Amino acid sequence: MNQRLESDLLRTLVAISEAKNFTKASKIVGRTQSAVSVQMKKLEEIVGGRLFERGPRGVTLTLSGEQLVKDAKRIISLLDQAVASFHSDPLDGFIRIGVPEEYGGTILPRVLSTFSKAHPNVEVTVHSASSTELKRAFDTGELDLVVTHEDASMIGGELLINDPVVWVTSDTHMQHECNPMPIAICERGCWWREWAVDTLNYQETNYRVAYESNSISGLQAAASSGMAVAILSQSQVPSDCRELTAAEGYPPLQGSNITLRQQRKSKCNIVAGMAQAIREAFQTSLPFSQH
C-alpha cells in the first residue's frame, strides 16, 4: 500500500536541512530527538531511499534529500497560504520585500498588483538591489522576504525557477569575434564574474574587460550597444541581442536559481500572502521556469 506524504514529515525534513542536526531540529519542530528520528525513518521508507548522510559534523542531505527539501519548502508555503486564505478580511499592516533590480519592470508590477488587490491596506516597502545586497539586508533582519539569484549547486530558500546564465552579444555587432574579446561583467565579488573569467581562462580565450557594473541594465546596455559581450540571465536577454552557443565556443555557464527566502519568525498571513503573489508571478511570467 502506498503511503502518503504528511506535512509534518516535510516540516521536520526542512528543519533538519537548515539545522544540520537532529537535536537542534527537534527543538525547532517541538518534538523529541527520537520522535524526529522515527519521522525521518518513515519518510525514507515512503520515498524509497536515503535522505541523509550522517557524519562527525552533523547530517548532510543526499541528492534525493536535496530535491525533496526544495519540493517540501514549496509545499509548506502553499499549505501556509491555504490556511491564510480562509481569513476573509483584508489584512492590515506592513511588509518589507527585496527584489533584484532586473525584475523591477517585469515581475514586480505583477506581484504588487496581485497583492494590493487582495490586501489594499497593507503598506509594502520594496528594496531593489543586487542579490548580494538583498541577502545581506535579509540576514540582518531588514527585509521580511527576498528574491535572489543563487548558485544552482547551493541550497538556499525556496526554488522559484531556474534562470540560466548565458553569454549575450548584439544582433548587429560581432564583438564575440574580436581578439581580444571585450566583455561586460559584474564588479568584483560577484560569482557571475568568477564563472565568466574562469571559463574564459580555462578555454584560453583572449579577452579584455571593457565594462563593469553590478546593474543588470548596465550590462544589457553594453551588449545592445555592441560595446561588449555580456553575461546575463536568460530571462534578461535584450530583444536586440542573442545568446552565444556552445557551437560558437561559448558553453553554458553554471546554473542559476531564483529563490525566495522568508524570515523564520515572520510566519504571519501578510508574509504568506506576499510569498504566494511572488511565487505565482515568477511561475507565470517566465516561460522556461522549472521546478
Side-chain angles (χ1 to χ4, degrees):
M1 180 181 295
N2 293 330
Q3 300 185 68
R4 295 181 178 180
L5 281 175
E6 301 171 4
S7 62
D8 284 348
L9 298 180
L10 298 180
R11 291 181 189 277
T12 300
L13 171 67
V14 171
I16 294 172
S17 72
E18 294 177 348
K20 303 187 187 311
N21 181 287
F22 273 51
T23 302
K24 293 180 180 178
S26 66
K27 296 178 180 179
I28 294 174
V29 299
R31 295 176 179 269
T32 64
Q33 181 177 346
S34 60
V36 166
S37 296
V38 170
Q39 278 189 308
M40 292 303 96
K41 181 178 179 180
K42 179 179 179 181
L43 186 57
E44 288 182 327
E45 291 175 352
I46 292 174
V47 301
R50 297 185 63 181
L51 300 174
F52 304 99
E53 296 289 349
R54 294 167 175 79
R57 295 186 178 181
V59 297
T60 57
L61 293 168
T62 63
L63 291 177
S64 296
E66 291 177 359
Q67 182 58 55
L68 186 56
V69 164
K70 292 178 181 178
D71 292 337
K73 288 181 177 179
R74 186 168 64 253
I75 291 169
I76 291 169
S77 293
L78 289 171
L79 290 173
D80 290 343
Q81 174 61 20
V83 172
S85 67
F86 284 99
H87 293 264
S88 58
D89 295 334
L91 300 174
D92 188 5
F94 70 92
I95 186 170
R96 306 160 301 172
I97 66 173
V99 179
E101 56 97 4
E102 59 263 37
Y103 299 115
T106 54
I107 301 294
L108 185 58
R110 182 186 294 265
V111 171
L112 297 179
S113 175
T114 298
F115 185 81
S116 64
K117 288 178 181 177
H119 311 293
N121 296 326
V122 174
E123 177 185 343
V124 181
T125 300
V126 180
H127 184 47
S128 183
S130 67
S131 290
T132 300
E133 293 177 19
L134 293 177
K135 282 187 281 188
R136 186 181 302 116
F138 179 80
D139 290 340
T140 57
E142 299 172 47
L143 298 173
D144 303 304
L145 281 173
V146 291
V147 174
T148 60
H149 279 281
E150 303 277 355
D151 184 333
S153 65
M154 307 295 288
I155 299 177
E158 174 192 346
L159 174 64
L160 294 174
I161 65 167
N162 179 266
D163 197 359
V165 179
V166 296
W167 300 96
V168 178
T169 189
S170 166
D171 285 332
T172 56
H173 300 83
M174 307 296 287
Q175 294 289 45
H176 60 285
E177 296 184 355
C178 294
N179 188 12
M181 181 180 72
I183 62 172
I185 54 178
C186 300
E187 296 175 4
R188 296 183 184 280
C190 176
W191 40 278
W192 281 19
R193 179 192 180 102
E194 295 175 3
W195 287 354
V197 171
D198 288 349
T199 299
L200 293 173
N201 288 337
Y202 178 78
Q203 296 181 166
E204 298 183 346
T205 300
N206 189 19
Y207 70 92
R208 65 180 179 86
V209 176
Y211 186 91
E212 291 183 272
S213 175
N214 278 340
S215 166
I216 296 300
S217 59
L219 298 178
Q220 290 174 321
S224 294
S225 67
M227 181 179 184
V229 172
I231 58 168
L232 292 165
S233 54
Q234 194 176 63
S235 68
Q236 301 301 313
V237 177
S239 59
D240 55 356
C241 293
R242 68 176 180 87
E243 296 177 33
L244 290 169
T245 66
E248 295 173 288
Y250 300 90
L253 296 167
Q254 298 180 50
S256 177
N257 288 337
I258 300 176
T259 62
L260 173 65
R261 296 172 184 261
Q262 55 184 296
Q263 297 290 356
R264 174 173 290 277
K265 296 180 180 179
S266 299
K267 295 297 184 180
C268 67
N269 295 333
I270 294 176
V271 173
M274 180 61 77
Q276 182 62 15
I278 291 173
R279 189 179 298 113
E280 291 176 354
F282 273 95
Q283 293 175 355
T284 58
S285 297
L286 302 182
F288 54 84
S289 61
Q290 300 173 2
H291 305 285

